[in-house]
């Protein structure tokens, strides 16, 4: 049976994926009600929500998911019947230099949301309820040259980021098993698209190429990631929210594996054309730098379950999606300038030093 939420609490809706989800959900469900709870950390940006903030069913609350009182009030006052939980510290490199905030936000924050949701759901205030945990393929660890992660692959997280996400996923499982709470869990591969913060591979490379800066490629550049357009991820989350059975877990992926160096070469070549540079000119910016500690070699998602059971498949090809993404960054240089001012510069120097 299809579940149509009356009132959604979206956490982390000012971040990359959360904001794309809100844009896409409102477009598909024009009469919906959405409360966006976001602490506006360095990764949160209200400019990501231009165009939805005037929607009559949308409101923004600046606040912390670890604030139990605030979460309880929002759940009760807005009769929330679905929590879609994106809020997180999301960057692996930052988790290596400062893991503590990852445990606080990703583990404690998720537990706070789960606990307040449990009380709200058990109070009987709403007829039906769903808690959807947005997670990552990184909880499964690293693959060799062959094979895929399925929903039954054991969790084997390797970075402080992925360990904190695995901890959160297990808490979600525990709330379902222990209290019978109606939870859902999705685990997606690497996203790309508009509003992607330029600390992550694709937007960092686009930003540095435009500015003729070195392109830092970790290790031998042969690590593999499976890339999915963020709006395809958003569509999958909506399908899972509405159609999945309580307690279920779904992998989401693009079936689109790339070695990092091949992605970097592709972005270089597409920008040679767009920026009117000589063929091969941008590739000269590539600089191999020291590897990420504990760098997972390969991620590859088997999303068969989502396709067979809920009839979801990506709508975009990578060829179109990457070109559109590059064009979005070229057309939105004000957005990039704003997010790369101030604290970003400090982060960049600490992370890459004078190597890049
Ligand atoms: P992001 O870093 O761009 O955004 C995170 C958002 O969470 C920001 O708006 C930030 O302000 C907010 N936030 C952080 N701490 C908070 C707190 N304590 N209280 C309230 N809000 C807080 O992240 P993203 O890339 O959009 O990822 C969103 C979710 O999707 C995360 O849970 C991440 O683990 C998961 N995920 C990301 C990817 C990817 O490729 N980016 C892939 C799979 C899963
Ligand atoms: O797989 C899903 C995950 O994808 C999400 O859970 C994370 O939130 C998201 O950040 C992303 O994690 P990755 O570590 O895979 O993404 P990132 O863009 O940081 O790096 C992609 C690959 O590129 C990885 O192998 C490391 C490499 N890399 C990254 C950066 C930032 C470089 O070679 N140079 C760089 O400067």
């Amino acid at each position: 049976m299809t579940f149509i939420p009356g009132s959604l609490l979206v956490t982390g809706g000012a971040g990359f994926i959360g904001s794309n989800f809100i844009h896409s959900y409102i477009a598909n469900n024009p009469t919906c009600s959405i409360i966006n709870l976001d602490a506006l950390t360095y990764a949160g940006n209200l400019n990501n929500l231009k165009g939805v903030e005037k929607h009559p069913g949308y409101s923004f609350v600046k606040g912390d998911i670890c604030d139990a009182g605030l979460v309880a009030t929002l759940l009760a006052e807005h009769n929330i019947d679905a929590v879609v939980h994106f809020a997180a510290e999301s960057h692996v490199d930052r988790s290596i230099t400062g893991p503590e905030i990852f445990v606080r936000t990703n583990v404690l924050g998720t537990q706070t949301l789960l606990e307040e949701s449990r009380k709200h759901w058990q109070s009987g205030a709403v007829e039906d309820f769903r808690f959807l945990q947005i997670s990552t393929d990184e909880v499964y660890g690293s693959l060799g040259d062959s094979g895929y992660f399925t929903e039954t692959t054991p969790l084997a997280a390797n970075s402080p980021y992925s360990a904190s996400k695995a901890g959160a996923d297990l808490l979600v499982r525990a709330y379902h098993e222990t209290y019978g709470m109606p939870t859902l869990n999705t685990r997606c591969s690497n996203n790309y698209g508009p509003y992607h913060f330029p600390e992550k591979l694709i937007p960092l490379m686009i930003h540095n190429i435009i500015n003729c800066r070195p392109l830092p490629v970790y290790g031998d550049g042969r690590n593999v990631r499976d890339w999915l357009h963020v709006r395809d991820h958003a569509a999958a989350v909506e399908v899972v929210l509405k159609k999945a059975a309580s307690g279920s877990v779904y992998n989401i992926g693009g079936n689109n594996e790339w070695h990092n160096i091949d992605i970097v070469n592709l972005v270089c070549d597409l920008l040679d054309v767009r920026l009117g540079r000589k063929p091969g000119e941008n590739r000269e910016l590539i600089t191999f730098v020291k590897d990420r500690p504990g760098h997972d070699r390969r991620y590859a998602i088997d999303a068969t379950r989502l396709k067979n059971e809920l009839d979801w498949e990506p709508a975009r090809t990578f060829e179109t999606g990457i070109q559109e993404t590059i064009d979005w960054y070229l057309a939105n240089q004000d957005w990039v300038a704003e997010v790369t001012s101030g604290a970003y510069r400090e982060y960049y120097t600490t992370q890459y030093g004078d190597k890049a």
Side-chain angles (χ1 to χ4, degrees):
M1 213 175 64
T2 304
F3 167 69
I4 304 293
S7 188
L8 268 74
L9 177 64
V10 173
T11 72
F16 165 48
I17 306 177
S19 62
N20 274 288
F21 172 77
I22 291 175
H23 279 282
S24 150
Y25 195 86
I26 287 180
N28 296 342
N29 305 269
T31 59
C32 68
S33 158
I34 294 186
I35 312 298
N36 176 6
L37 171 63
D38 196 297
L40 296 182
T41 68
Y42 79 94
N45 186 349
L46 290 178
N47 289 333
N48 298 1
L49 292 150
K50 288 230 160 81
V52 296
E53 74 277 72
K54 291 200 174 68
H55 182 274
Y58 171 80
S59 50
F60 178 77
V61 177
K62 181 173 188 296
D64 189 338
I65 55 167
C66 298
D67 181 345
L70 173 63
V71 172
T73 304
L74 293 176
L75 290 169
E77 281 187 353
H78 297 276
N79 254 347
I80 299 293
D81 56 1
V83 175
V84 186
H85 175 33
F86 292 95
E89 287 296 330
S90 70
H91 192 37
V92 173
D93 291 329
R94 289 184 192 253
S95 82
I96 294 167
T97 49
E100 193 179 337
I101 185 72
F102 284 73
V103 176
R104 181 188 181 274
T105 301
N106 300 356
V107 183
L108 192 58
T110 302
Q111 189 273 329
T112 305
L113 282 171
L114 282 165
E115 183 58 13
E116 295 314 313
S117 296
R118 177 184 71 79
K119 292 186 212 155
H120 174 66
W121 162 67
Q122 284 182 333
S123 76
V126 286
E127 214 172 286
D128 205 351
F129 184 80
R130 295 286 184 281
F131 183 102
L132 200 171
Q133 161 74 356
I134 306 295
S135 191
T136 167
D137 57 3
E138 298 200 12
V139 297
Y140 297 122
S142 185
L143 290 165
D145 289 342
S146 61
Y148 295 89
F149 297 132
T150 71
E151 289 82 356
T152 56
T153 302
L155 304 195
N158 291 319
S159 72
Y161 161 70
S162 52
S164 68
K165 292 296 291 185
D169 283 15
L170 289 174
L171 282 164
V172 170
R173 177 188 160 93
Y175 269 71
H176 178 72
E177 295 297 324
T178 307
Y179 307 109
M181 195 162 122
T183 62
L184 304 165
N185 197 338
T186 57
R187 296 183 180 137
C188 190
S189 61
N190 286 61
N191 287 211
Y192 70 97
Y195 306 118
H196 205 182
F197 194 81
E199 64 187 352
K200 309 278 166 64
L201 182 73
I202 289 181
L204 179 71
M205 296 299 149
I206 297 173
H207 179 55
N208 283 11
I209 291 169
I210 292 172
N211 293 288
C212 296
R213 290 214 202 104
L215 308 177
V217 175
Y218 297 160
D220 63 1
R222 304 283 302 162
N223 298 65
V224 173
R225 298 292 182 267
D226 164 18
W227 294 94
L228 178 72
H229 193 279
V230 63
R231 290 295 174 105
D232 280 324
H233 184 187
V237 168
E238 184 174 338
V239 167
V240 171
L241 178 65
K242 290 178 172 173
K243 295 210 223 158
S246 165
S248 54
V249 178
Y250 285 92
N251 282 350
I252 306 172
N255 198 17
N256 177 42
E257 290 180 51
W258 287 77
H259 288 110
N260 292 338
I261 188 64
D262 295 333
I263 286 269
V264 175
N265 282 332
L266 175 70
V267 175
C268 282
D269 296 349
L270 291 171
L271 272 163
D272 279 338
V273 177
R274 277 288 186 276
L275 297 171
R277 294 182 185 162
K278 288 198 308 285
E281 191 174 338
N282 288 328
R283 288 192 189 202
E284 287 167 22
L285 297 168
I286 294 171
T287 312
F288 287 91
V289 299
K290 196 164 152 274
D291 209 353
R292 173 186 277 176
H295 197 175
D296 286 336
R297 193 63 175 169
R298 174 170 167 259
Y299 302 144
I301 275 281
D302 178 347
T304 311
R305 182 168 183 211
L306 187 54
K307 180 171 186 265
N308 289 351
E309 294 181 11
L310 304 185
D311 200 21
W312 173 91
E313 277 189 288
R316 286 162 189 79
T317 64
F318 187 66
E319 288 67 26
T320 317
I322 192 73
Q323 189 64 73
E324 281 173 9
T325 301
I326 287 173
D327 290 340
W328 186 89
Y329 278 89
L330 288 170
N332 288 275
Q333 284 294 296
D334 290 354
W335 181 91
V336 178
E338 198 236 301
V339 302
T340 54
S341 63
Y344 179 84
R345 291 201 197 129
E346 233 169 84
Y347 162 77
Y348 198 84
T349 311
T350 314
Q351 176 64 24
Y352 299 101
D354 51 14
K355 284 192 293 295

